[in-house]
Amino acid sequence: MELLTGFTSKEFIEQITILQEIESQKNQEVLPDLLELCKSIPADGSLSYMLENALKAVLSENEVATVNELGLEHDRLKRLCIQLSGQKQFKSAGPVLTGLLETTREPDLLFDIFSALSLIKLPESLGVFQQHMTHSTATISTLCIEMIGSYGDSSSVPGLCELVETAEQNDRFLECEFATIKAIEALGAIRDDRAVSFLCTKIHHRNPRARQVIHEQLLQIGPDILPYLSGYFDQYDVDNKIMAANILGEMGSREGGDILVEAMDKGAADHPNTRFAIYEAFGKFFFMKGLACLVDGLFEENETVLMAVVSSLDKQINPGVVKKIETLVCAEDARRASQSSRLIRAIISAKAVSIFEALYKVPSVAGLLVERISVSNDPEIISAFMEKLNQMTGAQAQADAARLDRLTLKKVGKKVLAVDGSAPILLFYRSVASMLGIDIVTAVNGREALDLLEDGQTFDMIITDMNLPVMNGIEFIREVRLNPWLADIQIIMATTESDSSQVQLAENAGGNDFLIKPFTADSLQAKLEGLIF
């Protein structure tokens, strides 16, 4: 065509103008000349870029020509047509692309072929993705696994399960490969009985990142997971029970709550970490059986577990609950007096302002509560209750608010960053650290904690949980250790994990010490005192 006659001898500006005109009009008559130019002009620079744009514009309107070029030997044209076939979803390209897989060895070109097939998504291409789901090139295997999920292919479930299982082996669990994540997501997309059942058995996968993705998938599946978690607490160990309670709490359904109540009634929640997780779950949604379990939990002697009970009850306060707490707090016999003291500490440490307001009306209790606030040495706790007192009527409330406002707090000049997804645990950290005069800043996930560090905040110690949303504790520690300015900061991993492999994970990531939950205020205090002295 005359438009391209003598093209290579023209001025650059004129060449660009011609190519822009072709790209705009998508004139099919220039296609043969465009193809020849693409073969002769070097694949670099602005001219080459504009030439390819013009060629793609013309070929996008010509499926036959695009597919014909797939079989030619010119790599540049072949790649362009492979990519265009996928983008335009040219169905006739499917068999040709599948045939190219037999002769192509170059990884990048192979990936382009698989990508094009994934966009075209012909039913007969499923076999190709199945065949290559364990391809040695990671980008190809993960793409194939992702496509198997998008096809909803139940026949691939055993292979996907094997990938997730393999990732738990001793030589593999320290890192979570992208293929493992994609296999979990594919199982979540397929959602047949085998896939859902398998995911429920893996809620305590040895790798924290894999665990996190499994939980996300199960929550997306929703109520269909409940039959697989029914009876779960009779079969599995403490770590699995904690994970199940966390998931059921996030789901927030009455049916899920019934599973947790049954576990409590049958004595399957005999470990304090399991009860903590269940009580915390009951605070995320309301139903009467759960509330009854929380009231029973007021007799818990473990201080962290009692914090979970009080925190959850504070969100569901009613006259009956208040009366029960009042009875316990006002008890005079020795055993109940001890529990009364624990309960008052828990109410204040948990910043349970609704319970506080209800109990403050009892004169014999009001003074005990205010006294506990005054010795907390925590500005956040003092501020929360002082605000509540200022909202209340009566001279005594105003006098107590003024008393709290005049307090002088002890400080030792040390600062700790505590990272945990559980509000009661963060409040427990605050109460212990504040009593020692240590300033404490809290974050609910690794990403939030990392943002604090990247914003320039400095800390003398970091305490982090392992199982965190958004960014888990292992990922967080690794990111911290990449910063040379933070190389010497002491990091303690505090977790419910009981498997020795999880200790290895923390140590490999750069953790200095391990603190197994449930720990007492004394054991946490001992760790923090090591920071001071």
Side-chain angles (χ1 to χ4, degrees):
M1 185 179 178
E2 292 184 4
L3 188 61
L4 290 174
T5 301
F7 180 83
T8 56
S9 62
K10 297 181 186 295
E11 295 291 329
F12 177 72
I13 296 299
E14 187 177 358
Q15 290 175 329
I16 296 301
T17 301
I18 291 170
L19 292 175
Q20 287 177 333
E21 181 182 343
I22 292 172
E23 182 179 355
S24 173
Q25 296 180 357
K26 302 178 182 179
N27 191 331
Q28 296 297 312
E29 294 180 12
V30 302
L31 181 56
D33 291 336
L34 271 179
L35 290 169
E36 290 304 314
L37 280 173
C38 191
K39 294 175 184 178
S40 61
I41 293 178
D44 55 14
S46 300
L47 182 60
S48 174
Y49 175 76
M50 295 297 296
L51 177 60
E52 288 189 8
N53 283 346
L55 181 57
K56 284 191 284 188
V58 175
L59 285 174
S60 69
E61 302 291 319
N62 194 330
E63 181 172 345
V64 173
T66 303
V67 175
N68 285 340
E69 290 299 321
L70 293 175
L72 301 182
E73 293 302 316
H74 193 277
D75 285 345
R76 182 181 171 198
L77 279 178
K78 182 184 291 187
R79 172 159 286 170
L80 184 150
C81 290
I82 289 171
Q83 294 171 350
L84 188 61
S85 295
Q87 292 165 8
K88 302 301 292 185
Q89 297 180 320
F90 289 153
K91 294 190 180 303
S92 63
V96 182
L97 291 168
T98 301
L100 285 177
L101 292 175
E102 302 297 325
T103 58
T104 304
R105 296 291 177 266
E106 201 270 307
D108 288 343
L109 191 58
L110 270 174
F111 180 76
D112 284 344
I113 295 171
F114 280 107
S115 295
L117 286 169
S118 72
L119 293 169
I120 298 170
K121 200 179 178 182
L122 295 172
E124 55 267 29
S125 295
L126 174 59
V128 172
F129 297 120
Q130 291 172 324
Q131 180 183 352
H132 295 278
M133 65 184 288
T134 57
H135 197 281
S136 58
T137 302
T139 53
I140 293 174
S141 65
T142 53
L143 176 59
C144 290
I145 293 168
E146 184 176 8
M147 288 308 300
I148 286 169
S150 73
Y151 278 92
D153 177 45
S154 293
S155 68
S156 295
V157 167
L160 295 169
C161 292
E162 184 178 352
L163 285 171
V164 179
E165 289 264 19
T166 301
E168 289 194 287
Q169 293 177 356
N170 288 337
D171 59 340
R172 302 285 292 275
F173 79 93
L174 292 174
E175 300 290 337
C176 186
E177 297 177 358
F178 200 43
T180 303
I181 294 174
K182 287 299 176 183
I184 294 167
E185 291 175 345
L187 288 166
I190 294 169
R191 297 190 182 190
D192 68 3
D193 288 345
R194 173 82 185 269
V196 178
S197 174
F198 174 79
L199 289 176
C200 286
T201 67
K202 292 297 175 183
I203 58 177
H204 190 246
H205 193 282
R206 292 180 79 188
N207 181 274
R209 176 61 179 148
R211 267 201 301 272
Q212 185 177 345
V213 179
I214 289 169
H215 292 194
E216 291 169 357
Q217 290 302 310
L218 290 174
L219 287 170
Q220 287 180 26
I221 293 170
D224 288 344
I225 72 172
L226 294 177
Y228 304 100
L229 294 181
S230 180
Y232 199 92
F233 290 83
D234 296 327
Q235 305 173 47
Y236 290 95
D237 62 14
V238 172
D239 291 326
N240 277 280
K241 291 176 182 179
I242 293 167
M243 300 295 125
N246 291 341
I247 291 169
L248 292 170
E250 290 298 326
M251 283 187 64
S253 71
R254 183 181 59 80
E255 293 80 3
D258 286 339
I259 295 173
L260 296 175
V261 171
E262 182 183 13
M264 296 290 282
D265 290 344
K266 295 171 67 174
D270 53 343
H271 194 283
N273 285 341
T274 308
R275 296 199 301 281
F276 180 97
I278 292 175
Y279 289 135
E280 189 172 36
F282 287 146
K284 295 177 180 177
F285 62 103
F286 174 79
F287 79 123
M288 286 304 299
K289 290 180 182 178
L291 182 60
C293 281
L294 287 171
V295 171
D296 290 342
L298 290 168
F299 291 93
E300 287 281 353
E301 295 184 1
N302 181 284
E303 51 199 320
T304 53
V305 177
L306 190 57
M307 285 274 286
V309 172
V310 170
S311 294
S312 293
L313 279 175
D314 196 53
K315 304 168 188 173
Q316 305 177 32
I317 197 72
N318 66 46
V321 170
V322 172
K323 188 63 178 176
K324 186 68 175 181
I325 297 174
E326 181 184 336
T327 301
L328 281 172
V329 171
C330 295
E332 294 182 358
D333 64 272
R335 189 181 73 82
R336 292 205 171 188
S338 177
Q339 186 65 12
S340 170
S341 178
R342 277 190 288 268
L343 192 50
I344 288 172
R345 286 200 303 271
I347 291 168
I348 301 309
S349 297
K351 290 194 298 184
V353 292
S354 296
I355 295 176
F356 168 83
E357 183 177 18
L359 292 178
Y360 188 82
K361 298 171 185 177
V362 182
S364 60
V365 178
L368 297 173
L369 293 169
V370 174
E371 180 60 28
R372 185 64 199 175
I373 297 168
S374 66
V375 300
S376 69
N377 203 47
D378 185 341
E380 188 173 300
I381 285 177
I382 293 168
S383 177
F385 288 106
M386 192 166 66
E387 181 180 352
K388 175 56 68 176
L389 286 165
N390 281 324
Q391 293 170 358
M392 296 163 64
T393 58
Q396 187 59 51
Q398 299 307 306
D400 284 334
R403 174 189 170 189
L404 294 179
D405 194 34
R406 293 192 298 269
L407 289 174
T408 301
L409 304 183
K410 176 185 72 174
K411 295 296 177 186
V412 296
K414 299 292 183 179
K415 191 175 179 183
V416 169
L417 172 61
V419 194
D420 203 292
S422 167
I425 289 294
L426 290 178
L427 290 166
F428 178 68
Y429 287 149
R430 289 197 65 87
S431 67
V432 177
S434 297
M435 291 293 287
L436 295 172
I438 296 173
D439 284 326
I440 186 164
V441 174
T442 60
V444 297
N445 61 64
R447 180 68 262 173
E448 184 178 305
L450 199 61
D451 287 343
L452 291 171
L453 293 166
E454 290 175 349
D455 286 345
Q457 290 205 43
T458 58
F459 300 92
D460 300 287
M461 177 189 287
I462 297 172
I463 303 176
T464 181
D465 190 25
M466 180 177 291
N467 297 300
L468 298 168
V470 185
M471 176 188 285
N472 64 59
I474 298 298
E475 294 169 333
F476 168 61
I477 293 177
R478 286 173 179 162
E479 290 293 326
V480 171
R481 291 308 188 206
L482 287 175
N483 187 333
W485 300 104
L486 301 172
D488 297 328
I489 190 169
Q490 185 177 9
I491 302 178
I492 297 174
M493 177 69 76
T495 182
T496 59
E497 297 292 340
S498 57
D499 191 326
S500 60
S501 66
Q502 305 304 293
V503 177
Q504 184 183 350
L505 270 169
E507 290 176 344
N508 286 5
N512 302 108
D513 204 350
F514 219 81
L515 193 57
I516 302 294
K517 299 176 183 177
F519 42 80
T520 63
D522 289 341
S523 60
L524 177 59
Q525 182 174 325
K527 293 287 184 186
L528 295 174
E529 284 178 338
L531 174 65
I532 302 172
F533 301 109

